[in-house]
Amino acid sequence: MSENPQPLGGNQMPRFGGIATFMRLPGTTPLEELDVAVVGVPFDLGTSNRPGARYGPRDMRAESVLLRPYNMATRAAPFDSLRIDDTGDVATNAFNIFDSIERITAHYDELLAHDVIPITMGGDHTIALPILRAIAKKHGPVGMVHIDAHTDINDTMFGEKIAHGTPFRRAVEENLLDGPRVVQIGMRGTGYAADDFDWSREQGFRVVQVEECWHRSLEPLMAEVREQVAGGPVYISFDIDGLDPSFAPGTGTPEVGGLTVPQALEIIRGCRGLDIVGGDLVEVAPIYDTSGLTSLTGANLLYEMMCVLPGVEYRD
Ligand code: MN
Ligand code: MN
C-alpha cells in the first residue's frame, strides 16, 4: 500500500461507521498534496422540475462506503497511483443562483491553481457552467463526453439564461468547449420542437440518441468517441438521468428508455487514455429513491472516472 491517502477499509472501521467522506477517504489532505479532489456542489436552484439534487453529495458519500479501492474489472489502482481525497463542499448560496455560480467558479479556480483534477458530486447540471469556466481558464476550450437524456443546450428556460437545461449553450457562447471534440450520449424523450438536437450538431457536437445505444455494447461507439475527442483536454459530464429511471429513479427529470448501468461503465471505461482534466456526476436527487440505488450508482460511476484519469496504474 502506498503512502497516498487511502479509503478507510471495512476491516478497520465497519462500513456503517465513521465520518461520511467519499469512499471514507481521510478528508484532511491539503490541496498542495493532492492530484485529485473529490468535491461536492450541493446546489439545485437551477432545476426545472423536481428539486433535491442539493442532497446528492451527502447521499453519494453515504452510499460510497461500500466501494473498495481496486477495480476488479479494469485492474485500476487509483489510490495507489494518485493522491486523492474528498476536499468537501462548495459553500453555495441557497438564496441566490448567480452568487452560487460565482462561488463555484472561485472554488474551482482555487482547486485548479493547485493542479488538482476535480471530480465533482452534484448538484444539478447548472454547475457544469461555472466549473467549465474555471477549467477553460486553465486549459482552454475542452472536449467533452456528456452523458444525459437531455442536450442541455436551451437558450433560455422560462426566460432565464442560467438553469440546468442551458449550461452547454452558455459554454459554447463563452468558448469553453471545443465543439468538434464534444459528444453527447443518451439523448431522448420528448422535445419542445422537432429540431431540439440540431443546435448541438451545428456546433460540431456528435449527438448519439439513445436508440443508437439500445440492445448493444457501447465499446465500438467509445472507440469512435476516443478518436473524436482525443488531441486535447477532455471533461466528462455525467447526468444520472442518462441512465434508465429503473436504474436511477432518484433524479428530477427522468426519461424512459435510457442507458443501462453496464453501458454507463463501458462509456466511462472507454475514456481511458484521454487527457481527462475533470469530471462530474450530477442530478442525483436521492429523495425520490428510497433504496439508495441512484446514489450508489452515482458513487460507483465517480469511482470509475477516477480509474481512467491520467497517471492511473493498472495491475497485471
Ligand atoms: Mn443534464
Ligand atoms: Mn438530464
Side-chain angles (χ1 to χ4, degrees), residues 276-308:
I276 296 159
V277 294
D280 64 51
L281 191 296
V282 298
E283 298 285 358
V284 170
I287 53 178
Y288 308 106
D289 175 3
T290 54
S291 74
L293 173 62
T294 311
S295 293
L296 177 68
T297 304
N300 271 274
L301 296 176
L302 286 162
Y303 168 76
E304 293 283 341
M305 284 184 205
M306 292 173 197
C307 291
V308 294

Side-chain angles (χ1 to χ4, degrees), residues 125 146 148 150 152 164 239 283:
H125 223 154
H146 170 209
D148 204 320
H150 315 97
D152 292 351
H164 76 153
D239 183 330
E283 298 285 358

